[in-house]
Amino acid sequence: GAGVSQSPSNKVTEKGKDVELRCDPISGHTALYWYRQSLGQGLEFLIYFQGNSAPDKSGLPSDRFSAERTGGSVSTLTIQRTQQEDSAVYLCASSLADANTEAFFGQGTRLTVV
Amino acid sequence: AQSVTQLGSHVSVSEGALVLLRCNYSSSVPPYLFWYVQYPNQGLQLLLKYTTGATLVKGINGFEAEFKKSETSFHLTKPSAHMSDAAEYFCAVSAIRGGSSNTGKLIFGQGTTLQVKP
């Protein structure tokens, strides 16, 4: 596609359930990032994939959060045993390899945990 | 560790007035700096970036920013605000790996909401 695609756009889940959020990056982009945007917290980095290198997981807030990127393309962010504090907009971005290139963001998945 | 501070979570200007959104950063190496804009219910869009070279950077929609190393600042300006500029603006610095090289990972400021009054 022309841009970064995220699905679903909205997700309401019950506390304690697991959720999977999907990101389709721009074709040819080797770098993929997940960020979380929540009220009062701004934009927080979660995880970063760059080519075949080991992902930078330094931003994942707990071991309930995990992400994978299959075949260097699509990525899935999984949140296990969701809590109310996980409610936020989860943004995915992709870019070419170089650090000075633009990161293109998807429209995000709004997660609400009830 | 790098950080970004945006002064003022909310800025209000009249249509046609100067827009000034402030951003200060902390980085141990020459930084890569970015401004992104987020319109309601949309993702982030790059306005402009500074990596190397000319310190005055021009972006889309008439915005520009100047990298001032001595002040560790990267303030965003636009001479004349338009109603369509109302949005949230984020300043960001690229994270450093190995103490010396920039990466594509971004560290964002808290954001500034720009309100434009008619």
Side-chain angles (χ1 to χ4, degrees):
Chain A
V4 177
S5 177
Q6 291 187 247
S7 60
S9 55
N10 282 282
K11 176 72 176 179
V12 180
T13 190
E14 292 181 351
K15 179 181 173 181
K17 300 283 190 181
D18 297 353
V19 294
E20 287 189 350
L21 311 180
R22 177 187 169 101
C23 173
D24 282 275
I26 293 172
S27 177
H29 281 190
T30 58
L32 187 147
Y33 317 83
W34 284 98
Y35 294 89
R36 178 169 70 175
Q37 185 175 23
S38 50
L39 284 175
Q41 298 296 323
L43 274 157
E44 303 172 84
F45 164 77
L46 295 177
I47 188 169
Y48 162 34
F49 297 90
Q50 173 56 62
N52 294 322
S53 302
D56 176 351
K57 304 180 182 180
S58 60
L60 294 178
S62 77
D63 59 9
R64 296 186 296 105
F65 287 72
S66 63
E68 62 177 20
R69 188 178 186 192
T70 54
S73 181
V74 172
S75 177
T76 302
L77 176 69
T78 301
I79 309 173
Q80 296 178 309
R81 305 181 302 281
T82 51
Q83 303 294 314
Q84 288 187 328
E85 61 263 29
D86 299 334
S87 296
V89 176
Y90 290 81
L91 292 168
C92 176
S94 71
S95 71
L96 295 170
D98 295 333
N100 61 356
T101 58
E102 177 180 357
F104 291 83
F105 283 78
Q107 295 200 353
T109 294
R110 181 175 298 277
L111 175 66
T112 304
V113 182
V114 297
Chain B
Q2 299 113 301
S3 64
V4 175
T5 302
Q6 291 183 237
L7 298 175
S9 58
H10 288 82
V11 170
S12 182
V13 300
S14 298
E15 191 173 19
L18 171 72
V19 175
L20 171 61
L21 304 182
R22 299 180 187 272
C23 173
N24 288 87
Y25 70 90
S26 170
S27 179
S28 57
V29 301
Y32 291 169
L33 295 160
F34 305 81
W35 275 100
Y36 281 84
V37 61
Q38 186 178 34
Y39 297 102
N41 299 315
Q42 295 190 25
L44 277 70
Q45 179 183 8
L46 181 69
L47 275 178
L48 48 80
K49 65 181 180 182
Y50 169 79
T51 55
T52 59
T55 55
L56 182 62
V57 180
K58 296 186 184 298
I60 62 172
N61 301 339
F63 284 93
E64 62 183 36
E66 186 170 11
F67 169 59
K68 291 188 176 181
K69 182 179 178 181
S70 62
E71 299 177 7
T72 61
S73 68
F74 191 56
H75 302 329
L76 182 70
T77 60
K78 181 173 180 177
S80 177
H82 191 271
M83 297 296 290
S84 61
D85 294 326
E88 189 160 18
Y89 293 78
F90 293 92
C91 181
V93 65
S94 57
I96 295 170
R97 176 179 54 231
S100 61
S101 61
N102 286 286
T103 70
K105 168 183 165 182
L106 298 173
I107 298 168
F108 287 92
Q110 291 293 308
T112 298
T113 300
L114 176 65
Q115 178 188 25
V116 182
K117 298 176 292 185

